[in-house]
Amino acid sequence: MATTNSAIEVSGLKKNYGHAVALNGLDLRVETGEVAGFLGPNGAGKSTTIRILLGLLKADGGVARMLGRDPWKDAVSLHRDVAYVPGEVNLWPNLTGGQAISILSKLHGSFDTRRQNELLERFELDPTKKARSYSKGNRQKVALVAALSSNAELLLLDEPTSGLDPLMEQVFTSCIREEAAQGRSVLLSSHIFSEVEKLCDTVTIIRDGQTVEAGALAELRHLQRTQISVEIAANAGELSAITGIEDLEVAGTSAKFSVDQDQLPSVLSALATYAPRNLVSAPPSLEELFLRHYSDNSGRPVGVRAGEQS
Amino acid sequence: MSTQTAHGRHALPSTVSVSNKEAGHNGAMTGFSTMIWFILRRNWLRLSIWALVLASMIPIVFDSQQQAFPTQASRDAYAQVANTPAVAAMTGLPYAAGSLGGILVIKIWMTLAVSLAFAVTFLITRNGRAEEETGRTELLRSRALGRHAYSAANYFVSAALCVVTGALISLLCLAVRLPSTGSWVMGASIAGTGLAFIGLAALCGQVASTSRGANTLTVALIGLFYFVRAAADLEAEGMSPSPLSWFSPIGWAQNMRAFGENNLWPLLALLGLGVVGCIFALRLESSRDMGAGMLPERRGPTRATRFTASALGLPLRLQRASLISWFIGLVVSSLFFGSVAQSMSSLLDPSNPFARNFVGGGATMLDGVLGIFVLFNALLACAFAIQSLVTARSEEESGRLEQQLAGALSRRTWLMTHLIIAVLGSGVMLLLGGYLIGVASQGAGEPGLLAGACFSYWPAVLLMLALQLLAFGYLPRSSTVIVWGVYGLSVLASMFGGLFSLSENVIRATPFGAVPRVPAEDFNWSPLLVLLLISLALGTVGLMRFNRRDVLTD
């Protein structure tokens, strides 16, 4: 196996479906041992990227390497070290969930039977039921148990919690933390900001098949504005005199505004002269970060280009 | 009060209102007429196809039988030999084989009656248990809809299909100038069979908790009652029905004896079974929860066996039920073909151009008939092979292939396992089928020779599989339609090519026409080698293309 620091290295990845462009020069990097969040609205190209990484789709351009190997040519050997959970899990209706788990695990190669039994219990999954009678959440659990009990170096998770209830989401979160603690790398494609904020070291945000933001979650926050609500003795309208304050909203003696990270010290010291009675500052959430990239100038969220395929 | 459905495509006019007059006991039937329109809206095409296809068999079969037995003398000769165990077991006692009406009953009555039973089974499940399973019934019942309205409307529409089909059959019998009483009894006995099975299907739909379970249970009952009456007809003395025949609703309908005694009273028993079954089914519906059944859902193993989890084991396990039924079908049909070969060849008039064309140019009529049975067997084995390989595409379409390939399984290995089952399975079917035809023919054909004759169609089957691989590689989304289309055309060309006045050269250029029809024709290696080479080339191209293309889910 080639030695490399990166679990996933993708640059300039391109994929077309007929005339529809799914990926248009996408970049993605996941370092070994890192939990990476992969964000984007429906149709942005998350699943297409993951399918290319699995060698199920052939890229039309760009470079993709996974664990230092070529995902198309080395698909079979690569898959011994990679586990995958699709967003939409389809099982054989006349086999039981337990049978499906054995089949998927055996296809993968090596797996841990003890861990499998433990996961079945934690996810409260009855393996003797036919897959036909499973709900979406239970089918998802089958794929999760098979993936998490494998001895894979890298987990590719495509919206893995889309059918799970909040309790099961917590089980999932703790399982991923355990995987990360063992030095495994994880690519987590998700819509759930709180989940990504809880679990991920880095985030890649994509739109229309292109990467628009990537980096460590902590760093990305620094690039953003802090929201401040304040109540002062005088009319809050006077605050407009301070340089660095933007989006000011005034209501009597209280005000709301946002401040760029580098302006924060000067704004705060200027604010002190107004003797604030109450001050709340909120760091930018991932949701705001995400929505900023998907809003047009008027601040309304915009959809994906028409004709785009998922 | 208006009832609207969630389905845009099937949306009902909002003016359809449910009056209080039709609200039955406790309002359990509120919305009955609305649901009838709803079911018709969703099923009109399906219903029309069933009725028209079944009824159209009457003129088609009548025409061919009139040509095969043009004179009263030929019919009388047929009546002398018609009562073979095979005929009795498959289609019932040939009580009126000396008349065209009686011959029509032998040739088509059982097929139509059993087909109608299948039709109502599938319809009742489709609009009953399947709707409940998907949760659509719940959505409808959350509106002002009586508890029994949907089920009762379902039974009513299925009953209407039986009545309409029966009436069409009677009218078409009258149209070809068959005796009028017999014509009406013919339609009534077939409709009656359907009505009786509505009662059984309704019960099964309440008892089972899945649509698959409901269909399996009713189909098992159809099979059971078919075998009861087969046993009854086998043990009957002469032409009088055996007492055992009264233990099967199909037997009741047979005992109406269209174009024979023309009894109408067994129709009452058939109607009674239908009505009692439906009433009892509605009772069960009142006493159970929405979505629940009477039978517990079966549990399965906690983990897969080593074999099921292996690359070849999984497709075999997935096709297990289908493989078993194909082989049972093959054994039954081969034994049947073999047992009728001798009598059929002595019946066919060698001077009749229809018969000549159909059986091909054999030295004797017997060789011609055996040749066509060998071809039947080959077409059956080919249908199996295609259906088996189609599972590869359905694995891909459903997204299950993605999860398998995300494991350490190569595309080539995966496709090869599916191919091996189709290739080897069809080979075994050909050899076994040919051998059994020979065994059952009691000396008319030599088992070893017929096994070889069948097996020489293997290259033709392989060619169809190669075409399927090619389509799977290049046009995966339409590959299933393409291969069944090509198969249908090949069947027409090889079986009826002569009748459609296709030239010999054209027929020879089709996969099944290219193979020499032993024993009617002399064996020849060269067409088989050509077929093999083409298969190899096309199959390889298809395989290579699949290795290179995207995995396409639906």
Side-chain angles (χ1 to χ4, degrees), chain A residues 22-23 26 28 36-50 157-159 187-193 196 203-213 286-287 289-291 293-294 302-304 308-310:
Chain A
L23 298 182
L26 183 126
L28 170 68
F38 195 28
L39 288 169
N42 294 327
K46 300 187 301 289
S47 297
T48 303
T49 308
I50 291 178
L157 312 174
D158 192 356
E159 297 179 22
L187 178 67
L188 173 65
S189 138
S190 179
H191 282 311
I192 304 166
F193 299 111
V196 174
V203 173
T204 300
I205 299 179
I206 67 168
R207 175 184 179 175
D208 293 343
Q210 279 176 318
T211 308
V212 291
E213 191 82 75
L286 185 58
E287 186 169 353
L289 190 71
F290 180 86
L291 288 176
H293 285 292
Y294 292 96
V302 290
V304 185
E308 191 86 7
Q309 287 209 22
S310 61

Side-chain angles (χ1 to χ4, degrees), chain A residues 15 17 51 54-58 72 76 79-80 82 84 86 88-96 98-99 102-104 106-108 113 116-117 126-130 132-133 143, chain B residues 133 210 212 297-306 308-311 314 317-318 395 398-411 546-553:
Chain A
K15 176 74 189 174
Y17 295 111
R51 288 195 172 109
L54 283 166
L56 298 169
L57 302 180
K58 198 166 190 180
W72 181 264
V76 175
H79 294 174
R80 287 188 221 283
V82 174
Y84 167 57
E88 190 67 46
V89 181
N90 218 316
L91 300 172
W92 301 275
N94 50 345
L95 300 186
T96 65
Q99 281 176 309
S102 325
I103 289 164
L104 294 175
K106 178 103 186 297
L107 279 171
H108 182 272
T113 320
Q116 211 160 72
N117 292 334
D126 180 349
T128 64
K129 274 191 167 177
K130 297 272 162 117
R132 183 180 298 109
S133 65
Chain B
E133 199 173 41
T210 62
R212 201 182 144 96
E297 206 199 328
R298 278 199 318 178
R299 293 295 166 111
T302 328
R303 53 188 69 237
T305 59
R306 262 186 121 70
T308 305
S310 67
L314 178 60
R317 172 64 185 77
L318 296 175
E395 286 288 284
S398 63
R400 293 188 290 258
L401 171 60
E402 289 199 346
Q403 286 168 72
Q404 293 174 66
L405 292 184
L409 177 68
S410 75
R411 291 176 179 219
F546 173 65
N547 277 332
R548 266 179 223 140
R549 72 164 168 83
D550 290 348
V551 172
L552 294 171
T553 51

Side-chain angles (χ1 to χ4, degrees), chain B residues 43-362:
Chain B
N43 295 279
W44 65 271
L45 186 63
R46 194 174 301 264
L47 291 163
S48 321
I49 290 175
W50 272 114
L52 291 177
V53 168
L54 292 184
S56 68
M57 297 306 283
I58 295 289
I60 293 173
V61 173
F62 180 82
D63 209 48
S64 74
Q65 295 311 308
Q66 204 172 27
Q67 287 192 43
F69 305 106
T71 61
Q72 188 54 49
S74 64
R75 283 168 231 150
D76 288 339
Y78 176 61
Q80 296 299 310
V81 295
N83 193 11
T84 63
V87 166
M90 299 287 287
T91 68
L93 297 172
Y95 52 83
S99 71
L100 277 173
I103 293 174
L104 188 66
V105 168
I106 297 170
K107 297 295 170 187
I108 201 67
W109 187 91
M110 188 60 76
T111 309
L112 292 179
V114 173
S115 300
L116 193 58
F118 274 104
V120 297
T121 300
F122 297 146
L123 276 169
I124 295 234
T125 302
R126 181 180 146 81
N127 297 303
R129 186 47 80 170
E131 284 283 286
E132 198 166 331
E133 199 173 41
T134 54
R136 288 194 287 261
T137 306
E138 191 176 341
L139 191 67
L140 292 170
R141 285 253 296 264
S142 70
R143 305 296 179 98
L145 186 67
R147 183 183 295 132
H148 298 317
Y150 199 1
S151 298
N154 185 17
Y155 307 154
F156 183 84
V157 170
S158 301
L161 170 73
C162 296
V163 172
V164 169
T165 309
L168 279 176
I169 287 172
S170 294
L171 292 174
L172 286 166
C173 285
L174 291 172
V176 295
R177 287 156 198 267
L178 283 167
S180 64
T181 316
S183 298
W184 288 114
V185 174
M186 177 88 173
S189 57
I190 290 168
T193 313
L195 290 169
F197 277 97
I198 289 176
L200 296 174
L203 283 173
C204 294
Q206 295 299 327
V207 168
S209 56
T210 62
S211 57
R212 201 182 144 96
N215 273 337
T216 311
L217 212 56
T218 321
V219 169
L221 282 178
I222 296 177
L224 173 75
F225 286 129
Y226 181 83
F227 278 112
V228 167
R229 63 128 289 272
D233 286 333
L234 277 174
E235 66 149 40
E237 284 176 34
M239 291 300 162
S240 50
S242 133
L244 185 60
S245 69
W246 295 107
F247 286 89
S248 160
I250 306 176
W252 305 348
Q254 279 180 292
N255 290 343
M256 288 173 73
R257 300 226 153 166
F259 303 107
E261 286 94 321
N262 289 327
N263 302 318
L264 267 175
W265 54 269
L267 186 60
L268 290 175
L270 294 166
L271 276 174
L273 179 58
V275 170
V276 169
C278 289
I279 290 175
F280 200 57
L282 293 179
R283 279 273 170 85
L284 287 177
E285 190 175 39
S286 315
S287 62
R288 70 176 175 86
D289 292 340
M290 179 87 207
M294 298 288 158
L295 295 178
E297 206 199 328
R298 278 199 318 178
R299 293 295 166 111
T302 328
R303 53 188 69 237
T305 59
R306 262 186 121 70
F307 178 71
T308 305
S310 67
L312 183 62
L314 178 60
L316 269 176
R317 172 64 185 77
L318 296 175
Q319 293 183 44
R320 187 175 67 186
S322 145
L323 275 168
I324 292 172
S325 28
W326 274 105
F327 272 88
I328 291 175
L330 174 90
V331 169
V332 171
S333 73
S334 303
L335 291 178
F336 173 71
F337 287 151
S339 63
V340 299
Q342 190 82 63
S343 53
M344 190 165 155
S345 52
S346 58
L347 288 175
L348 287 172
D349 183 354
S351 60
N352 180 335
F354 179 88
R356 264 264 56 101
N357 242 324
F358 193 60
V359 298

Side-chain angles (χ1 to χ4, degrees), chain A residues 117-227:
Chain A
N117 292 334
E118 179 208 318
L119 287 166
L120 281 175
E121 226 161 88
R122 283 170 74 181
F123 279 111
E124 295 171 15
L125 181 70
D126 180 349
T128 64
K129 274 191 167 177
K130 297 272 162 117
R132 183 180 298 109
S133 65
Y134 277 154
S135 63
K136 175 169 165 51
N138 280 336
R139 293 201 301 270
Q140 202 94 42
K141 288 178 192 173
V142 166
L144 279 169
V145 170
L148 294 172
S149 62
S150 70
N151 303 321
E153 283 176 47
L154 170 65
L155 297 172
L156 296 178
L157 312 174
D158 192 356
E159 297 179 22
T161 56
S162 49
L164 299 185
D165 64 43
L167 290 175
M168 288 304 139
E169 258 180 64
Q170 282 193 346
V171 175
F172 168 78
T173 307
S174 59
C175 284
I176 295 301
R177 288 209 174 112
E178 289 160 26
E179 299 292 317
Q182 291 183 10
R184 301 207 167 111
S185 322
V186 179
L187 178 67
L188 173 65
S189 138
S190 179
H191 282 311
I192 304 166
F193 299 111
S194 61
E195 185 175 279
V196 174
E197 283 181 315
K198 259 188 285 181
L199 284 171
C200 296
D201 309 314
T202 63
V203 173
T204 300
I205 299 179
I206 67 168
R207 175 184 179 175
D208 293 343
Q210 279 176 318
T211 308
V212 291
E213 191 82 75
L217 202 50
E219 281 169 30
L220 289 178
R221 283 192 167 139
H222 280 290
L223 298 174
Q224 299 304 311
R225 294 168 183 171
T226 300
Q227 288 287 337

